Amino acid sequence: MTAAVAPANAGPAVDLQGLATVVGLLAQAGGLDALLGSQATDSRDKRLHIGYSEAAERLNIPEKWLRERISTLPHRKFGKFVQFTEDDLHAISDMHFVSPDAKPQRDDESVLMALQPSKRSRKRS
């Protein structure tokens, strides 16, 4: 078996021929997604809602933490069943974002309220 040697001036034509061969193989295999399997598919689940255990796993936190704080977290409730959507998980994650460089912002109204004396304070005579 001898290897075919392409002439020096036929470089780009050989590259195009190889590319055409790869594209043909991909078409026969059903595309790149079929060759790579689930790795090339969308990482988001097709289900609309997920439960406590999967939400905790996706957020990389204990399920107990979610259950204890459910009243302060975004979620869906169907009767007694608590469910989370993709948006709920993103909101929970965003609620707990910490930026060490950011300074807490105080609105002008809260600053004024801090300067006013209490209504219970005694008047001096």
Side-chain angles (χ1 to χ4, degrees):
M1 184 172 201
T2 60
V5 177
N9 60 358
V14 172
D15 291 342
L16 290 178
Q17 186 179 23
L19 180 62
T21 304
V22 170
V23 170
L25 290 172
L26 284 174
Q28 289 175 358
L32 186 59
D33 290 342
L35 289 176
L36 296 178
S38 62
Q39 292 177 353
T41 59
D42 192 353
S43 64
R44 292 179 16 161
D45 198 353
K46 300 297 182 198
R47 292 178 293 162
L48 188 58
H49 300 104
I50 59 173
Y52 276 114
S53 60
E54 190 171 341
E57 183 180 323
R58 301 245 331 256
L59 290 168
N60 198 25
I61 58 173
E63 184 178 334
K64 183 179 178 182
W65 188 93
L66 270 181
R67 289 184 183 274
E68 289 174 349
R69 292 163 179 80
I70 193 62
S71 63
T72 62
L73 301 174
H75 63 281
R76 308 289 188 264
K77 192 146 189 186
F78 299 98
K80 65 178 184 177
F81 301 105
V82 173
Q83 300 285 304
F84 300 91
T85 64
E86 188 76 25
D87 292 335
D88 294 336
L89 298 180
H90 286 288
I92 292 169
S93 178
D94 291 343
M95 287 171 62
H96 296 90
F97 173 74
V98 177
S99 177
D101 298 334
K103 294 179 183 175
Q105 294 181 354
R106 295 177 58 178
D107 57 343
D108 294 335
E109 205 171 294
S110 66
V111 172
L112 289 177
M113 293 300 286
L115 296 176
Q116 293 178 353
S118 167
K119 295 185 193 254
R120 293 187 195 173
S121 63
R122 292 187 278 168
K123 295 184 181 180
R124 296 183 187 184
S125 346

